[in-house]
Amino acid sequence: MKIPFPAFVLAVGLLIGSGAAVYAQDSATKPDNSAQNKNQGTTADNQSNAKADRLLAANVRKAIVADKDLSTYAHNIKVIVRDGTVTLKGPVKSEDEKQKVKNDAISVADQSKVIDELTVKE
């Protein structure tokens, strides 16, 4: 089937025109997550580069990974250390596993310096 040239040009023009209108609408209303991003608490970006903090984070990570009773979820939690305070974040499979991860961290760091922000995945 052969499409007449003027009809083809009109169809392409409509497609291009509608795309430009959609693009203009998207760029006019940019999402703003600034308020939400400011209230995230401790994140991996907060990890200190101080040698003592890096060493503590590595030792806590080793203790968690060495615990073969833990799930892959638990082995992959975030360990964030800043000024000697260890923050544990991420999902684990059960309350029991959550406690095991915390105990592994406490075996390396002072109990009063371990912050548990783990969540139980359902």
Side-chain angles (χ1 to χ4, degrees), residues 25-85:
Q25 184 180 18
D26 287 345
S27 66
T29 55
K30 293 181 181 178
D32 183 10
N33 293 328
S34 299
Q36 181 179 358
N37 292 340
K38 287 179 185 175
N39 298 323
Q40 287 189 4
T42 305
T43 65
D45 289 341
N46 299 120
Q47 173 68 46
S48 168
N49 278 328
K51 187 173 184 176
D53 286 344
R54 287 182 295 152
L55 185 61
L56 181 56
N59 288 335
V60 170
R61 167 75 51 211
K62 284 178 191 174
I64 292 169
V65 171
D67 189 342
K68 299 302 178 191
D69 292 334
L70 298 176
S71 69
T72 303
Y73 282 113
H75 284 159
N76 289 322
I77 65 154
K78 290 178 179 65
V79 176
I80 305 159
V81 180
R82 184 147 192 98
D83 300 326
T85 300

